[in-house]
Amino acid sequence: MKTKMLATLLLALAMIISACGGGNSAGGNSGEESSGSSQSLVFGTGGTSGSYYPIGGALKPILEQSDLVGNITVESTGASVANIQNIQDGLNQMAVVMSDVAYDAVEGKGQFEGKKVDIKALAGMYPNVVQIVATKDSGIKTVEDLKGKKVGVGKVGSGVEQSAQKVLEAVDYTYDDLSKVTHTGYADSVQEMKNGNLDAAFFTSGVPNSNITDLMQQNEITFVEIKGETAEALKEKYPFYKDYKIPAGDEAKYNLENEIVTVGIQNMIIVSPDLDEELVKDMTKRYYEYLGSDEVAVGVLKQLDRDEIAKDLITPLHPGAKAFYEEQGILE
């Protein structure tokens, strides 16, 4: 009798353990299945003071509405390069990056020389616009006019400096063709222009850039356009550059008298190629619907035409994202 009772108790205990065990926590950061068919994801963004981090925060509750998403952890990172490396290492499952860095990753160039990374696009976002601003007294009106001038090119190794070097290269210039080069950030470049120590400076950011707006309050400036042969040479060698126009008369974008023609580098949302197709399709759908709603709180996302977010991407679309866009009929 005792043996029979013991066997019954052991069987009951085994059933309880089987019912309770095995699942990962929905709040985990591993990116693996959390419970049932839902999955926990880590969303790599950028520094907490930049624009990537609040974008991640805004999209988190939107994407978590999916039954296929258990939890999304929005993580502050070193931005584009770090985000791509983290996806490669399995630390992030999705991220925001700039197209120039993504291009280098999939082509095995630049910082990813000889080490191609397999990343997929979920959607495009707003562009970081190359804005060259000069003091009116400098007489600078074209990129060629930068020769012999004092120019701020952004911090060493920054995206701003990379753009500055590429734009100068498009007119066959190097730093040697300038009388002075300073590796200053936005605020310092503006201060140096106010003090008369710089004739012009590069800004690669969304529009408007608050530092440029500040400069315009008490100083007469000129926006140096990137167009014609200069723009064509730039786009031919670096396909992640796209034409961009800063409109005239838009109070939210400097309220300019005349339209400014320049170029921009698109930001984009990328995902791991290992993510489930249905999961990515559902997240893409929710991102698309969010952009068409009144819920968009981040300014740069309000500028997006949601029917353009699948076009001219520098990396291949994830099959799940592609399937959704095909259903919408918005692929080229």
Side-chain angles (χ1 to χ4, degrees):
M1 178 65 71
K2 289 183 179 180
T3 302
K4 186 175 180 180
M5 289 179 63
L6 180 61
T8 302
L9 287 171
L10 289 174
L11 178 60
L13 180 61
M15 291 175 68
I16 292 171
I17 293 174
S18 176
C20 295
N24 292 331
S25 169
N29 296 342
S30 67
E32 295 180 1
E33 291 187 3
S34 55
S35 61
S37 59
S38 66
Q39 190 167 352
S40 295
L41 306 171
V42 178
F43 192 166
T45 57
T48 55
S49 63
S51 58
Y52 284 4
Y53 188 74
I55 287 172
L59 294 182
K60 170 182 165 70
I62 303 302
L63 301 180
E64 284 181 339
Q65 292 174 12
S66 171
D67 291 337
L68 300 177
V69 176
N71 176 67
I72 291 181
T73 300
V74 177
E75 187 158 304
S76 174
T77 69
S80 298
V81 174
N83 286 341
I84 290 174
Q85 290 172 337
N86 286 345
I87 283 183
Q88 186 179 33
D89 295 339
L91 301 176
N92 293 351
Q93 288 72 48
M94 61 187 306
V96 184
V97 299
M98 282 182 65
S99 288
D100 55 346
V101 179
Y103 176 80
D104 283 348
V106 297
E107 295 292 328
K109 296 181 178 180
Q111 298 177 76
F112 298 92
E113 185 69 39
K115 299 177 181 178
K116 293 183 179 182
V117 183
D118 186 11
I119 51 176
K120 302 299 182 187
L122 183 145
M125 292 200 303
Y126 67 98
N128 279 1
V129 181
V130 183
Q131 301 162 76
I132 309 173
V133 176
T135 61
K136 190 171 184 180
D137 292 342
S138 70
I140 299 170
K141 296 181 179 179
T142 68
V143 176
E144 287 87 346
D145 292 338
L146 293 174
K147 188 172 185 178
K149 302 296 185 179
K150 299 171 290 186
V151 183
V153 297
K155 294 181 179 179
V156 174
S158 67
V160 181
E161 185 186 29
Q162 290 183 40
S163 289
Q165 291 174 328
K166 289 177 173 65
V167 170
L168 292 171
E169 177 189 340
V171 294
D172 295 323
Y173 286 176
T174 66
Y175 287 165
D176 292 338
D177 292 294
L178 310 178
S179 66
K180 178 183 178 181
V181 173
T182 63
H183 290 91
T184 42
Y186 295 152
D188 289 337
S189 289
V190 165
Q191 191 58 50
E192 290 295 279
M193 290 178 74
K194 288 180 179 179
N195 295 339
N197 297 324
L198 284 180
D199 299 307
F202 281 80
F203 301 79
T204 302
S205 71
V207 176
N209 181 299
S210 60
N211 296 276
I212 296 176
T213 302
D214 173 51
L215 179 64
M216 295 173 70
Q217 299 303 312
Q218 298 178 347
N219 299 267
E220 290 190 272
I221 66 168
T222 300
F223 279 87
V224 181
E225 294 187 302
I226 302 173
K227 61 182 181 179
E229 292 181 1
T230 302
E232 292 306 313
L234 192 61
K235 292 185 294 181
E236 182 177 355
K237 186 166 184 180
Y238 304 105
F240 43 79
Y241 282 105
K242 308 295 179 186
D243 293 324
Y244 187 90
K245 295 179 180 179
I246 305 175
D250 188 336
E251 293 185 2
K253 298 181 179 180
Y254 308 123
N255 197 24
L256 302 172
E257 290 186 10
N258 300 299
E259 177 184 83
I260 301 299
V261 178
T262 183
V263 294
I265 305 169
Q266 187 179 38
N267 292 284
M268 57 193 295
I269 301 174
I270 60 170
V271 294
S272 166
D274 298 329
L275 284 186
D276 178 74
E277 185 172 330
E278 287 303 314
L279 169 64
V280 176
K281 182 179 180 181
D282 195 35
M283 290 198 299
T284 306
K285 174 179 180 290
R286 293 177 187 279
Y287 176 60
Y288 179 83
E289 291 176 347
Y290 170 68
L291 293 179
S293 73
D294 294 328
E295 298 179 34
V296 182
V298 182
V300 289
L301 295 183
K302 292 181 180 180
Q303 303 173 18
L304 295 180
D305 179 347
R306 65 178 185 165
D307 288 333
E308 297 294 318
I309 61 174
K311 299 177 181 177
D312 297 324
L313 298 175
I314 211 70
T315 64
L317 281 166
H318 188 283
K322 185 178 180 181
F324 173 75
Y325 294 132
E326 286 177 340
E327 289 180 2
Q328 296 300 308
I330 61 174
L331 282 181
E332 294 180 325

Short mmCIF file of all heavy atoms in Angstrom, two decimals, residues 3 13 20-21 59 66 77 80 104 116 145 163 181 185 194 204 235 242-243 255 273 278 280 308 310 320:
data_model
loop_
_atom_site.label_atom_id
_atom_site.label_comp_id
_atom_site.label_asym_id
_atom_site.label_seq_id
_atom_site.Cartn_x
_atom_site.Cartn_y
_atom_site.Cartn_z
N THR A 3 3.91 1.55 -1.05
CA THR A 3 4.58 1.67 -2.35
C THR A 3 3.66 2.30 -3.37
O THR A 3 4.04 3.16 -4.17
CB THR A 3 5.04 0.29 -2.84
OG1 THR A 3 5.91 -0.27 -1.87
CG2 THR A 3 5.75 0.40 -4.17
N LEU A 13 3.68 14.86 -8.43
CA LEU A 13 4.76 15.86 -8.37
C LEU A 13 5.35 16.10 -9.74
O LEU A 13 5.63 17.24 -10.13
CB LEU A 13 5.83 15.37 -7.39
CG LEU A 13 7.04 16.31 -7.20
CD1 LEU A 13 6.58 17.66 -6.65
CD2 LEU A 13 8.06 15.68 -6.26
N CYS A 20 4.66 23.68 -14.55
CA CYS A 20 5.21 24.98 -14.12
C CYS A 20 6.52 25.33 -14.81
O CYS A 20 6.92 26.49 -14.83
CB CYS A 20 5.45 24.98 -12.61
SG CYS A 20 3.91 24.84 -11.65
N GLY A 21 7.25 24.39 -15.30
CA GLY A 21 8.62 24.65 -15.76
C GLY A 21 8.73 25.05 -17.20
O GLY A 21 7.79 25.03 -17.95
N LEU A 59 8.06 53.83 -29.96
CA LEU A 59 7.63 52.64 -30.70
C LEU A 59 7.41 51.43 -29.79
O LEU A 59 6.67 50.50 -30.16
CB LEU A 59 8.66 52.29 -31.78
CG LEU A 59 8.81 53.31 -32.92
CD1 LEU A 59 9.82 52.81 -33.95
CD2 LEU A 59 7.47 53.57 -33.60
N SER A 66 1.41 43.82 -30.29
CA SER A 66 1.37 42.58 -31.06
C SER A 66 1.33 41.38 -30.12
O SER A 66 2.06 41.32 -29.13
CB SER A 66 2.61 42.48 -31.96
OG SER A 66 2.70 41.21 -32.55
N THR A 77 22.52 52.92 -26.59
CA THR A 77 23.77 52.33 -27.10
C THR A 77 24.64 53.43 -27.72
O THR A 77 24.30 54.60 -27.70
CB THR A 77 23.48 51.29 -28.20
OG1 THR A 77 22.97 51.97 -29.36
CG2 THR A 77 22.46 50.25 -27.74
N SER A 80 24.68 53.69 -34.34
CA SER A 80 24.66 52.83 -35.53
C SER A 80 25.66 51.68 -35.52
O SER A 80 25.27 50.52 -35.69
CB SER A 80 24.88 53.69 -36.78
OG SER A 80 23.85 54.63 -36.93
N ASP A 104 28.01 50.24 -45.23
CA ASP A 104 29.35 49.70 -44.96
C ASP A 104 29.27 48.29 -44.40
O ASP A 104 30.08 47.42 -44.73
CB ASP A 104 30.10 50.60 -43.98
CG ASP A 104 30.63 51.87 -44.63
OD1 ASP A 104 30.63 51.95 -45.88
OD2 ASP A 104 31.06 52.79 -43.90
N LYS A 116 31.50 41.46 -43.59
CA LYS A 116 30.12 41.76 -43.95
C LYS A 116 29.17 41.28 -42.85
O LYS A 116 29.39 40.24 -42.24
CB LYS A 116 29.75 41.10 -45.27
CG LYS A 116 30.48 41.66 -46.49
CD LYS A 116 29.98 41.01 -47.77
CE LYS A 116 30.69 41.60 -48.99
NZ LYS A 116 30.19 40.99 -50.26
N ASP A 145 33.44 77.32 -52.93
CA ASP A 145 33.84 78.55 -52.23
C ASP A 145 34.46 78.29 -50.86
O ASP A 145 34.98 79.22 -50.22
CB ASP A 145 32.63 79.48 -52.07
CG ASP A 145 32.14 80.06 -53.38
OD1 ASP A 145 32.93 80.09 -54.35
OD2 ASP A 145 30.96 80.46 -53.44
N SER A 163 30.62 63.04 -43.48
CA SER A 163 29.90 63.74 -44.54
C SER A 163 30.72 64.90 -45.09
O SER A 163 30.77 65.13 -46.30
CB SER A 163 28.55 64.26 -44.02
OG SER A 163 27.66 63.20 -43.81
N VAL A 181 40.79 74.08 -40.19
CA VAL A 181 39.80 73.04 -39.93
C VAL A 181 39.67 72.87 -38.42
O VAL A 181 40.68 72.70 -37.73
CB VAL A 181 40.20 71.70 -40.57
CG1 VAL A 181 39.26 70.58 -40.15
CG2 VAL A 181 40.24 71.81 -42.09
N GLY A 185 31.90 70.29 -32.29
CA GLY A 185 30.51 69.86 -32.33
C GLY A 185 29.61 71.02 -32.72
O GLY A 185 30.07 72.15 -32.92
N LYS A 194 29.96 82.75 -34.46
CA LYS A 194 29.53 84.00 -33.83
C LYS A 194 30.74 84.87 -33.50
O LYS A 194 30.68 86.11 -33.60
CB LYS A 194 28.74 83.72 -32.56
CG LYS A 194 27.34 83.15 -32.77
CD LYS A 194 26.66 82.90 -31.42
CE LYS A 194 25.26 82.36 -31.59
NZ LYS A 194 24.60 82.12 -30.27
N THR A 204 25.15 67.66 -39.82
CA THR A 204 24.42 66.54 -40.43
C THR A 204 23.41 66.05 -39.40
O THR A 204 23.76 65.36 -38.44
CB THR A 204 25.38 65.41 -40.85
OG1 THR A 204 26.35 65.92 -41.76
CG2 THR A 204 24.62 64.29 -41.53
N LYS A 235 26.47 61.14 -54.93
CA LYS A 235 25.50 60.03 -54.95
C LYS A 235 26.00 58.84 -55.76
O LYS A 235 25.67 57.69 -55.45
CB LYS A 235 24.16 60.52 -55.51
CG LYS A 235 23.45 61.52 -54.60
CD LYS A 235 22.08 61.89 -55.15
CE LYS A 235 22.17 62.65 -56.46
NZ LYS A 235 20.85 63.03 -56.99
N LYS A 242 20.82 60.82 -50.65
CA LYS A 242 19.61 61.08 -51.43
C LYS A 242 19.37 62.59 -51.49
O LYS A 242 19.75 63.33 -50.59
CB LYS A 242 18.39 60.41 -50.79
CG LYS A 242 18.57 58.91 -50.49
CD LYS A 242 18.74 58.08 -51.74
CE LYS A 242 18.93 56.61 -51.39
NZ LYS A 242 19.24 55.79 -52.59
N ASP A 243 18.73 63.03 -52.57
CA ASP A 243 18.38 64.45 -52.69
C ASP A 243 17.44 64.86 -51.58
O ASP A 243 16.56 64.10 -51.17
CB ASP A 243 17.72 64.72 -54.05
CG ASP A 243 18.68 64.53 -55.22
OD1 ASP A 243 19.87 64.88 -55.08
OD2 ASP A 243 18.24 64.03 -56.27
N ASN A 255 12.07 78.77 -41.74
CA ASN A 255 11.30 79.84 -42.38
C ASN A 255 12.15 80.59 -43.43
O ASN A 255 12.26 81.82 -43.42
CB ASN A 255 10.77 80.83 -41.33
CG ASN A 255 9.65 81.70 -41.86
OD1 ASN A 255 8.96 81.34 -42.81
ND2 ASN A 255 9.49 82.87 -41.26
N PRO A 273 18.16 39.02 -39.22
CA PRO A 273 17.58 38.14 -40.24
C PRO A 273 16.97 36.88 -39.64
O PRO A 273 16.19 36.19 -40.30
CB PRO A 273 18.78 37.80 -41.13
CG PRO A 273 19.97 37.98 -40.27
CD PRO A 273 19.63 39.13 -39.35
N GLU A 278 6.50 36.16 -39.58
CA GLU A 278 5.20 36.67 -39.15
C GLU A 278 5.36 37.76 -38.09
O GLU A 278 4.59 38.72 -38.05
CB GLU A 278 4.32 35.54 -38.63
CG GLU A 278 3.78 34.63 -39.71
CD GLU A 278 2.97 35.41 -40.77
OE1 GLU A 278 2.12 36.24 -40.37
OE2 GLU A 278 3.19 35.19 -41.97
N VAL A 280 7.94 39.90 -37.78
CA VAL A 280 8.39 41.13 -38.44
C VAL A 280 7.27 41.74 -39.27
O VAL A 280 7.10 42.96 -39.31
CB VAL A 280 9.64 40.84 -39.31
CG1 VAL A 280 10.05 42.10 -40.08
CG2 VAL A 280 10.80 40.36 -38.45
N GLU A 308 6.33 55.84 -48.35
CA GLU A 308 7.69 55.92 -48.91
C GLU A 308 8.70 55.16 -48.07
O GLU A 308 9.87 55.08 -48.44
CB GLU A 308 8.12 57.39 -49.00
CG GLU A 308 7.26 58.24 -49.95
CD GLU A 308 7.39 57.80 -51.40
OE1 GLU A 308 8.52 57.51 -51.83
OE2 GLU A 308 6.36 57.75 -52.09
N ALA A 310 9.35 52.12 -47.54
CA ALA A 310 9.91 50.86 -48.03
C ALA A 310 10.78 51.07 -49.28
O ALA A 310 11.30 50.11 -49.83
CB ALA A 310 8.80 49.87 -48.35
N GLY A 320 9.48 39.32 -43.88
CA GLY A 320 8.22 39.69 -43.24
C GLY A 320 7.79 41.11 -43.58
O GLY A 320 6.62 41.37 -43.87
#
